[in-house]
Amino acid sequence: MVALGFLYLAEDSPLHDEVISAQWFGRAAEKGDSEGMYEYGSCYLAGRGVEQDYSKAYSLFLKCYLKGNPKGNLGLARFYLDGEVVPCDIQTALRLLSTDVATQFPAAQALKQNLIENLSEGMEKREVAACVQLGWAVLNGYAGDGNRALAYGLLTAAAVRQDPLARCLLRCYFSEQEQDCAADVEECRRYFRQLMEIGCSWAARELLLMALRGDFEATEDEIQQLIGKGLELGDLTIRELLIRQAAEAGE
C-alpha cells in the first residue's frame, strides 16, 4: 500500500495522482503501518491529495512515533519547532531528536544539529532566548554533554537580564547555589501556571517536577491535577513516564 502511494505520488509516473496516493497511504495507516502513518500525516501537513489539516498530521506523526518509527520523532519535532498545533517547545523537539531510534536516523540528527547550531549562534550574539534554550538543552543532556557548569553560566547570563524562564530554571535546578537573579518558588509557580493557561505543556511538567522534588508542598490531588493538565496539553514526557510506571507495575 505504501509502495502504491509512492507510485501515484511520483511526479514522473504516468499514474501520478496525489489524491489516490493519499488514499493508499491512508489505507496503510489504518492497517497500523508506521510508514503509512508518516506519509499520510505528510499529506495532511502539505495538503497533498487531502485538505490540509495540521491536527490530523500531528495525530498521525504521534502514532508513528509511538510505533517506534523515527520518522514520527522527526515529524513531531518539526511541529514543536513551528508551533502550528502545539506551542513552540524546543526542549521537547530536542528530546524527540535525541532518543535511541532518532540517533540512528540521519534526517533527525541533521535537524538536531541545525537547531543546536542556530542556538549556539544566537548565544554568541548574546540573544537572551538562545542562551536560555541552549542552557536548558545542556541541562537536559541534549547538548554540551550535560555540562551543568555550562548550563548554569548560560542560564545566569539570561537571568541577570531578567528573563523569567531563566530565573525559574535557576531556582528549579540550581537551588543549592544562592543567586540574586534566581526566582523564588512562588514566582516559579505563578510563571508556570500562566504558561499552562496558554497551552504550554512543558510548564505543567516543570511544575509537576517541582512538586515531586518537594520544592513546595502539594497534595496528592494537586499532583494528579498537574499530571492531568500535562496530559491534556499533550506533554510526551508525562505520558511516557506514566506508561513506564504502569509497565513496571504490570498494569
Side-chain angles (χ1 to χ4, degrees):
M1 291 176 184
V2 173
L4 282 169
F6 280 120
L7 177 62
Y8 281 98
L9 180 62
E11 293 283 352
D12 57 355
S13 170
L15 299 177
H16 178 71
D17 188 317
E18 292 185 350
V19 173
I20 296 178
S21 171
Q23 290 173 349
W24 279 114
F25 289 140
R27 289 173 186 171
E30 289 172 1
K31 293 289 186 181
D33 182 81
S34 62
E35 290 289 325
M37 292 169 183
Y38 178 78
E39 297 302 334
Y40 198 34
S42 297
C43 290
Y44 276 111
L45 183 64
R48 189 181 67 232
V50 292
E51 185 175 350
Q52 191 172 50
D53 190 321
Y54 291 132
S55 293
K56 288 182 178 178
Y58 176 86
S59 178
L60 284 158
F61 289 154
L62 177 59
K63 291 177 180 178
C64 178
Y65 161 74
L66 293 173
K67 284 276 189 178
N69 189 324
K71 290 185 178 180
N73 296 54
L74 180 64
L76 286 176
R78 286 171 173 162
F79 263 108
Y80 282 104
L81 292 175
D82 64 29
E84 287 287 355
V85 175
V86 292
C88 184
D89 184 346
I90 292 175
Q91 301 307 310
T92 293
L94 284 170
R95 185 177 73 78
L96 286 163
L97 299 172
S98 301
T99 64
D100 289 342
V101 293
T103 58
Q104 306 302 315
F105 187 40
Q109 293 314 291
L111 179 59
K112 178 181 176 180
Q113 183 64 30
N114 184 62
L115 180 53
I116 295 296
E117 288 177 357
N118 287 340
L119 291 176
S120 298
E121 289 175 5
M123 179 268 294
E124 291 173 0
K125 296 176 183 176
R126 299 194 176 185
E127 296 173 0
V128 172
C131 288
V132 176
Q133 292 297 334
L134 186 57
W136 202 3
V138 172
L139 187 62
N140 284 323
Y142 307 140
D145 298 321
N147 186 326
R148 280 180 63 84
L150 174 59
Y152 177 77
L154 289 166
L155 292 174
T156 301
V160 296
R161 294 166 68 180
Q162 297 302 308
D163 182 85
L165 178 54
R167 285 169 51 81
C168 290
L169 291 174
L170 282 177
R171 172 59 55 202
C172 292
Y173 295 99
F174 296 95
S175 58
E176 73 280 2
Q177 297 176 243
E178 291 296 329
Q179 316 132 76
D180 293 335
C181 58
D184 59 33
V185 171
E186 286 307 311
E187 182 180 341
C188 293
R189 293 178 71 180
R190 288 194 302 272
Y191 178 66
F192 290 139
R193 287 195 179 280
Q194 288 172 357
L195 291 176
M196 283 166 56
E197 292 303 314
I198 61 173
C200 290
S201 64
W202 59 261
R205 179 174 73 242
E206 290 301 325
L207 196 54
L208 174 62
L209 290 174
M210 288 183 70
L212 295 176
R213 283 195 301 262
D215 294 344
F216 62 88
E217 290 187 13
T219 65
E220 184 61 31
D221 284 345
E222 289 174 318
I223 290 176
Q224 291 303 317
Q225 287 172 5
L226 286 171
I227 291 173
K229 188 63 175 178
L231 292 175
E232 176 190 329
L233 295 174
D235 187 82
L236 295 178
T237 302
I238 292 178
R239 175 192 172 96
E240 290 172 1
L241 174 63
L242 293 177
I243 290 174
R244 187 164 61 249
Q245 288 178 336
E248 291 172 354
E251 299 176 1

